[in-house]
Amino acid sequence: MTTRRKAAPAPPKLLVEERRRRIVELVHQKGRVTVDELVALFGISAVTIRADLEVLDGAGAISRSHGGALPAAAQLDTPLNIKETRHHAQKLRIGEAAAALIEDGETIILDSGSTTAEIARRIRQRKWTSLTVITNALNIAMELSALPAVRVMMLGGLLRQTSYSLAGPDAEQALSRLSADRLFLGVDGLDPEVGVTTPDPLEASLNALMIRVSRQTVAVLDASKFGQRSLSVIAPVGDLDLVISDAAAPAEHVEALRGKGVKTLLV
C-alpha cells in the first residue's frame, strides 16, 4: 500500500501592493530577478507576475527585461510613490527610531520624503497630550490630520508634484516666523565632504532654513544614500546633530561623520 505525500503548504498570499513592493526590493537587492524566480517565490502564475512587472515598469520602479526585471535607471528626482517601495523595511526601522526621540509638547518639523512619512505614521500610533508638527509635505499633513492632540502647520509655496511637497519663497517666508525643537530632514544624498543634498534647488533652500530655525537637526536616510550627491547642497554635514540610518551604512562614512562631531544611530 502506497501513501501519498502531503503537498507542501502554499506560500502565504500577499496583497497586490505588498507583492509589488517586495518585487521592487528584490530587484534592487539582487540586481536582477526572473519571472520563474518570482513565480516560485510568490506561488502565483507567470501571467500575474508579468502583469506586475509591466505595471512597475510603467511606474518607473523597475526596468522590464526579457524574462524578468532589472533596476530602473536613476532619475534626477524620483517620484515619492516609487521611493516608498525602495528599502522599505529599513525606512520602517528608521521611522520608529526617529519617532521615539519626540517628546510630548514639542514642536517638530517633518521634511517631505518617504522616510519622514514613516515617522508621521509612527506618530499616529502614539498618544499625545500636545504636539505641533510643521511640514511642507501634503501627504504628511494628511497622515496627521485626524489626530486631535496634534496641531499641523502647513507651509505654503509651489507644489512639487514628484514629492507632494511645497517649496519656494512663500514657504520660506512662512517658516522664517517659526521655530522648532527638532527637525527631521530627509535627504537624497549624504557625502561627508560635500554635505547633504537634494535634486531641487527650491527644496534645498527651504531645507537650509529648516535647519536654521531648529534647535536640533536629525537627518533620516537609508544606507543607499551615503556617498550619493544630488544637484543642490542643503548644508555641510557639520550642521547635522544626529544621523539615523540602517546597519548597512558604510563604516568609513559613519566614521567620517563621527569625526565631524555628528552622532550616528544605526538601526
Side-chain angles (χ1 to χ4, degrees), residues 72-181:
Q75 300 182 44
L76 285 177
D77 196 359
T78 307
L80 182 64
N81 63 326
I82 303 303
K83 286 182 178 180
E84 288 184 333
T85 67
R86 298 176 178 172
H87 311 287
H88 186 246
Q90 292 90 330
K91 290 173 182 177
L92 286 174
R93 297 197 302 271
I94 294 167
E96 183 174 10
L101 299 176
I102 304 169
E103 297 181 4
D104 210 7
E106 285 190 340
T107 295
I108 66 167
I109 300 176
L110 284 182
D111 178 31
S112 62
S114 55
T115 307
T116 49
E118 295 299 343
I119 301 174
R121 292 178 186 122
R122 289 291 173 177
I123 288 173
R124 286 181 58 180
Q125 297 174 13
R126 288 173 56 184
K127 291 186 178 180
W128 304 93
T129 302
S130 172
L131 182 68
T132 299
V133 178
I134 302 165
T135 187
N136 64 324
L138 298 179
N139 60 315
I140 288 175
M142 290 302 297
E143 285 281 353
L144 302 175
S145 61
L147 301 179
V150 178
R151 179 172 58 173
V152 179
M153 300 184 67
M154 278 291 304
L155 302 177
L158 179 69
L159 177 65
R160 294 181 59 227
Q161 294 176 330
T162 56
S163 61
Y164 306 143
S165 66
L166 299 164
D170 290 336
E172 292 183 33
Q173 184 177 11
L175 182 60
S176 67
R177 299 191 294 269
L178 304 173
S179 63
D181 297 296

Side-chain angles (χ1 to χ4, degrees), residues 226-240:
F226 281 93
Q228 300 297 315
R229 300 181 183 182
S230 290
L231 174 66
S232 303
V233 177
I234 298 168
V237 295
D239 285 0
L240 307 176

